[in-house]
């Protein structure tokens, strides 16, 4: 009604004194019912009855109406050495222990008559315990038969009806549950690291509130197994610490009895944890052993584990670097940046691959190794603040680096028929790490060189382009090439200009402004075009570019030769703050384009 879907569940049950099989119509079979006391006797719950008698509950089990979760005889015999004699003869024991037994027994009773047909998963049943403890009901369907658990203890026989209630038999005595997960961890001397970790995040408060959680709690010994640097990083970086903890927490209750074979469940990071039980009945999570299970809390359950559930997200930038490009880590250390990157929070690192480092000019590398300031400036240009995942990159995005705010320009190209590669300062981003402890790492296929200035500034600083700069000045484009709008300039060296065709050389010699404008305008494209992008375009069928004069320039890239119009690229991707310079051997257009005429064939 009103566009809102609702689900109504209707449960039917037999009237008191009648029962049925699953194939029966209605409840045709009459059952002779007895009091709870006599029903317990018929079920062989002798220890339960003797304990009830010792704390004066026998009359209540005859006259009152209750749901009873009654432990088996074996369960009572296993219940605490300090309680053993009290269960048999309580009169001779001190009053404190008698009160404790009474509390435990009342923690198995509730005044409502609740059969399994009216129970649901994660239901909390309030008991008569003076400690106000509750029994948590869970159902699991991962085995041939449906498993029902009460406080993570198996219900071995359910719905044993009596004239004044119902008995569900459990295979363990249910200790009163009075503390939240946070309170239990805070009181455990073997969980001090976890207590500290939770206290540094909002998770401590969350695990104190009502809910349905499972916590795989690493012991102090588990935390001490971690490398000291890793441990320090986790505890000193709040985002990382929270994610490490969330990896150990499930948003639902998973008791140990629910795991009978290989299974998986999602944690608070919405990633899977894999659970299994081996042939020796040992329980494991992510191949790490559960050393103590089913510690019940008011808002869930705790299982102790012998190792921290480490994952990629707990790794830092330096860990990724050490695993993937150890030579880069050596440079970071030489530049004195190791501690900065270890302690940094929320950074993006554009890491040159091993091949990119090996392709670096040996003379340049030697100079960097002997000048730590220059090396530091180069490496900090590869680091930006904030976490910038590749999937969120967009064309002409600019990211401020730690090198005095100098920017890295991101380029993507929507013309691609398939998913567009992404480029950082025209270096191809070949792969990216998953979100890690203090950021993300993108691997690039070349070392990123900080641009010295705008396109115009870069051309002015290089004497090889002095004649090309003069031509730009003649066309009044100098200011435009200094502005922020992204451009690609196809720049000719002095040598290339000398080798131009005679008609172009003649126009340049005569300072023919109209013709010079035609040539220069055709060599300026109003967007950033990287060499590798042209190569990918050509493979994908993209065959033209449009410079600022509106003309269409054909592009091609074959056998390592990239051409734009009539110009061939001789040097790729000299990046600037406002775009990129592609060094070419000529102008991309003709001065005098021959026009096709049908009159010649008439």
């Amino acid at each position: 009604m009103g566009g809102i879907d609702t689900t109504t569940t209707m449960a039917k049950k037999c009237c008191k004194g009648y029962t049925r099989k699953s194939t029966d119509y209605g409840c045709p079979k009459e059952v002779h019912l007895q009091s709870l006391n006599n029903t317990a006797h018929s079920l062989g719950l002798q220890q339960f009855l003797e304990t009830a008698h010792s704390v004066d509950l026998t009359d209540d089990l005859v006259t009152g109406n209750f749901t009873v979760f009654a432990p088996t005889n074996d369960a009572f015999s296993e219940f605490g050495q300090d309680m053993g004699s009290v269960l048999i003869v309580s009169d001779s024991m001190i009053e404190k222990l008698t009160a404790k037994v009474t509390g435990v027994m009342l923690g198995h009773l509730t005044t409502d008559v609740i059969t399994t047909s009216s129970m649901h998963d994660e239901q909390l049943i309030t008991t008569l315990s003076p400690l106000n403890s509750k029994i948590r009901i869970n159902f699991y369907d991962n085995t041939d038969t449906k498993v029902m658990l009460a406080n993570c203890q198996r219900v071995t026989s359910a719905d044993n009806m009596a004239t004044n209630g119902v008995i569900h038999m459990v295979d363990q005595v249910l200790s009163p549950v009075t503390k939240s997960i946070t309170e239990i961890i805070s009181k455990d001397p073997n969980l001090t690291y976890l207590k500290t970790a939770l206290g540094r995040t909002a998770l401590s408060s969350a695990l104190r509130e009502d809910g349905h959680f499972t916590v795989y709690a690493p012991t102090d010994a588990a935390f001490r197994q971690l490398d000291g640097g890793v441990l320090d990083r986790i505890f000193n970086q709040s985002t990382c610490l929270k994610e490490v903890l969330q990896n150990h927490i499930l948003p639902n209750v998973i008791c140990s009895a629910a795991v009978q074979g290989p299974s998986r469940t999602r944690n608070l990071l919405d990633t899977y944890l894999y659970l299994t039980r081996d042939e020796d009945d040992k329980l494991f999570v992510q191949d790490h052993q559960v050393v103590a299970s089913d510690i019940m809390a008011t808002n869930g359950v705790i299982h102790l584990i012998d190792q921290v559930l480490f994952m990629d997200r707990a790794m830092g930038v330096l860990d990724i670097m050490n695993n993937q490009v150890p030579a880069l880590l050596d440079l970071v250390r030489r530049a004195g940046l190791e501690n900065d990157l270890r302690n940094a929070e929320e950074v993006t690192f554009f890491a040159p691959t091993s091949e990119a480092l090996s392709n670096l000019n040996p003379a340049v590398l030697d100079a960097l190794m002997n000048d730590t300031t220059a090396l530091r400036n180069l490496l900090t240009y590869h680091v930006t603040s904030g976490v910038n995942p590749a999937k969120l990159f967009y064309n002409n995005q600019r990211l401020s680096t730690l090198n005095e705010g100098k920017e890295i320009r991101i380029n993507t190209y929507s013309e691609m028929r398939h998913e567009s590669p992404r480029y950082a300062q025209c270096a191809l981003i070949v792969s990216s790490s998953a979100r890690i402890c203090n950021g993300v790492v993108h691997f690039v296929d070349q070392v990123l060189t900080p641009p010295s200035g705008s396109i115009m500034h870069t051309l002015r600083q290089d004497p090889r382009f002095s004649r090309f700069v003069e031509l730009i000045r003649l066309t009044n484009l100098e200011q435009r090439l200094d502005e922020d709008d992204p451009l690609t300039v196809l720049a000719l060296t002095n040598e290339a200009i000398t080798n131009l065709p005679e008609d172009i050389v003649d126009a340049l010699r005569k300072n023919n402004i109209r013709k010079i404008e035609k040539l220069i305008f055709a060599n300026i494209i109003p967007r950033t075009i990287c060499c590798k992008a042209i190569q990918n375009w050509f493979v994908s069928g993209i065959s033209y570019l449009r410079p600022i004069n509106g003309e269409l320039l054909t592009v091609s890239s074959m056998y390592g030769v990239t051409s734009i119009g009539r110009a061939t690229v001789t040097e790729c991707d000299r990046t600037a703050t406002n775009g990129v310079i592609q060094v070419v051997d000529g102008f991309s257009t003709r001065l005098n384009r021959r026009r096709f005429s049908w009159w010649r064939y008439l």
Side-chain angles (χ1 to χ4, degrees):
M1 179 178 292
I4 300 175
D5 293 331
T6 59
T7 301
T8 301
T9 302
M10 182 172 63
K12 297 181 179 180
K13 60 181 180 181
C14 295
C15 296
K16 185 180 292 187
Y18 290 87
T19 188
R20 68 187 295 273
K21 296 179 180 178
S22 59
T23 56
D24 288 341
Y25 179 79
C27 301
K29 186 177 180 181
E30 186 175 3
V31 179
H32 175 66
L33 299 181
Q34 306 176 77
S35 68
L36 284 170
N37 194 61
N38 290 336
T39 301
H41 183 76
S42 298
L43 293 171
L45 299 173
Q46 191 62 34
Q47 287 277 29
F48 172 78
L49 290 172
E50 290 180 5
T51 306
H53 175 72
S54 72
V55 292
D56 297 326
L57 288 177
T58 300
D59 291 343
D60 294 314
L61 294 176
V62 174
T63 60
N65 294 307
F66 302 106
T67 294
V68 180
F69 290 85
T72 62
N73 292 335
D74 289 341
F76 270 107
S77 66
E78 295 175 3
F79 179 57
Q81 295 180 356
D82 60 328
M83 305 294 292
S85 58
V86 180
L87 299 182
I88 300 173
V89 182
S90 64
D91 294 340
S92 62
M93 305 302 292
I94 61 175
E95 183 177 339
K96 182 177 179 180
L97 288 179
T98 302
K100 186 173 182 179
V101 174
T102 302
V104 170
M105 288 298 294
L106 291 175
H108 292 75
L109 277 65
T110 180
T111 53
D112 296 323
V113 178
I114 308 172
T115 60
T116 56
S117 63
S118 59
M119 294 180 185
H120 58 83
D121 190 42
E122 302 285 20
Q123 181 176 356
L124 292 174
I125 297 174
T126 301
T127 70
L128 297 177
S129 168
L131 300 175
N132 196 33
S133 66
K134 297 179 180 180
I135 296 174
R136 181 180 295 272
I137 301 299
N138 289 104
F139 292 99
Y140 302 100
D141 294 317
N142 60 339
T143 55
D144 294 337
T145 59
K146 193 170 187 177
V147 176
M148 175 182 172
L149 302 177
N151 282 358
C152 283
Q153 306 306 321
R154 192 181 294 271
V155 176
T156 57
S157 176
D159 295 331
N160 298 285
M161 299 303 301
T163 56
N164 59 331
V166 62
I167 296 177
H168 307 295
M169 296 172 60
V170 291
D171 64 357
Q172 294 290 329
V173 173
L174 306 181
S175 297
V177 179
T178 60
K179 294 183 176 65
S180 68
I181 290 173
T182 295
E183 290 170 326
I184 292 173
I185 291 172
S186 297
K187 299 293 184 181
D188 193 322
N190 294 313
L191 298 176
T192 59
Y193 280 92
L194 183 58
K195 173 187 174 181
T196 301
L198 289 171
R200 295 186 181 185
T201 70
L203 291 172
S204 180
S205 296
L207 295 177
R208 195 183 299 274
E209 304 298 327
D210 293 341
H212 315 286
F213 300 103
T214 300
V215 176
Y216 289 97
T219 62
D220 287 350
F223 276 103
R224 282 193 287 265
Q225 291 180 44
L226 295 177
D227 177 80
V230 173
L231 191 60
D232 289 342
R233 184 183 65 246
I234 291 175
F235 273 82
N236 291 327
Q237 294 174 343
S238 57
T239 301
C240 178
L241 179 60
K242 182 176 180 180
E243 291 191 347
V244 170
L245 294 174
Q246 287 176 320
N247 193 45
H248 294 74
I249 304 172
L250 313 181
N252 54 304
V253 173
I254 299 294
C255 302
S256 64
V259 183
Q260 297 302 315
S263 58
R264 65 180 186 176
T265 185
R266 289 188 180 274
N267 58 24
L268 292 188
L269 293 174
D270 200 31
T271 59
Y272 283 114
L273 290 183
Y274 292 87
L275 315 174
T276 190
R277 186 182 295 274
D278 68 9
E279 58 187 14
D280 295 324
D281 205 36
K282 294 178 180 178
L283 189 64
F284 294 85
V285 54
Q286 302 288 83
D287 297 325
H288 302 322
Q289 187 173 351
V290 175
V291 294
S293 61
D294 301 329
I295 302 169
M296 295 304 300
T298 55
N299 54 350
V301 65
I302 300 170
H303 308 294
L304 303 186
I305 54 177
D306 63 356
Q307 292 189 51
V308 177
L309 302 181
F310 207 68
M311 72 294 191
D312 287 347
R313 290 195 188 200
M315 299 180 73
V317 168
L318 295 178
D319 299 314
I320 297 292
M321 201 181 300
N322 186 50
N323 291 342
Q324 301 287 334
V325 194
L328 181 59
L329 180 58
D330 292 339
L331 295 177
V332 166
R333 287 170 174 162
R334 190 174 186 87
L337 289 171
E338 185 175 13
N339 287 335
D340 294 341
L341 290 177
R342 176 178 290 112
N343 298 324
E345 290 198 39
E346 307 294 293
V347 295
T348 299
F349 196 99
F350 292 86
T353 62
S354 296
E355 184 177 1
L357 290 178
S358 65
N359 290 335
L360 197 61
N361 186 309
V364 172
L365 183 59
D366 286 344
L368 289 170
M369 296 296 283
N370 293 319
D371 186 345
T372 55
T373 300
L375 180 60
R376 187 182 183 91
N377 289 338
L378 178 69
L379 292 175
T380 53
Y381 182 67
H382 291 73
V383 187
T384 70
S385 58
V387 179
N388 300 286
K391 65 181 179 181
L392 298 183
F393 284 154
Y394 56 88
N395 194 40
N396 283 317
Q397 180 179 4
R398 297 194 293 185
L399 305 174
S400 294
T401 71
L402 301 188
N403 182 349
E404 300 178 352
K406 291 182 179 179
E407 294 178 331
I408 292 174
R409 185 184 295 271
I410 301 296
N411 286 110
T412 64
Y413 300 95
S414 59
E415 295 92 340
M416 300 294 294
R417 293 179 180 175
H418 49 80
E419 184 179 355
S420 173
R422 295 168 174 84
Y423 303 86
Q425 289 299 109
C426 283
L428 177 65
I429 299 176
V430 294
S431 65
S432 300
S433 73
R435 175 69 166 87
I436 55 175
C437 182
N438 58 341
V440 65
V441 177
H442 303 298
F443 294 97
V444 291
D445 69 347
Q446 64 189 56
V447 176
L448 307 184
T449 303
S452 60
S454 67
I455 290 174
M456 197 66 225
H457 173 83
T458 303
L459 292 172
R460 285 194 296 257
Q461 294 299 309
D462 192 332
R464 294 185 303 155
F465 299 107
S466 59
R467 295 182 65 183
F468 188 71
V469 168
E470 291 174 7
L471 297 177
I472 292 173
R473 287 172 176 157
L474 290 173
T475 61
N476 295 318
L477 286 174
E478 191 171 9
Q479 181 177 348
R480 182 169 181 179
L481 269 59
D482 265 326
E483 294 173 350
D484 281 342
D485 292 340
L487 297 169
T488 298
V489 172
L490 310 180
L492 283 72
T493 63
N494 296 339
E495 181 181 359
I497 290 176
T498 301
N499 295 324
L500 289 171
E502 184 60 34
D503 60 330
I504 295 179
V505 172
D506 184 60
L508 300 182
R509 184 169 53 247
K510 294 178 179 179
N511 284 344
N512 187 320
I513 299 302
R514 183 182 62 82
K515 291 183 177 181
I516 291 173
E517 285 182 344
K518 176 182 174 65
L519 294 169
I520 293 296
F521 286 7
N523 272 35
I524 300 176
I525 302 164
R527 55 189 299 201
T528 302
I529 303 297
C530 302
C531 262
K532 295 184 182 71
I534 296 174
Q535 295 160 8
N536 284 320
W537 277 357
F538 191 67
V539 170
S540 299
I542 308 301
S543 57
Y544 62 86
L545 290 171
R546 194 182 295 273
I548 61 175
N549 67 354
E551 183 179 343
L552 288 182
L553 301 178
T554 59
V555 298
S556 67
S557 183
M558 297 182 65
Y559 308 111
V561 178
T562 298
S563 298
I564 304 173
R566 298 178 59 78
T568 297
V569 179
T570 58
E571 183 181 332
C572 276
D573 300 334
R574 290 198 62 178
T575 59
T577 56
N578 59 341
V580 64
I581 299 168
Q582 306 295 355
V583 183
V584 293
D585 64 353
F587 288 102
S588 63
T589 189
R590 297 174 183 269
L591 264 183
N592 300 305
R593 178 166 295 181
R594 181 178 297 175
R595 296 176 181 268
F596 181 81
S597 175
W598 286 101
W599 294 102
R600 297 172 55 196
Y601 297 95
L602 296 179

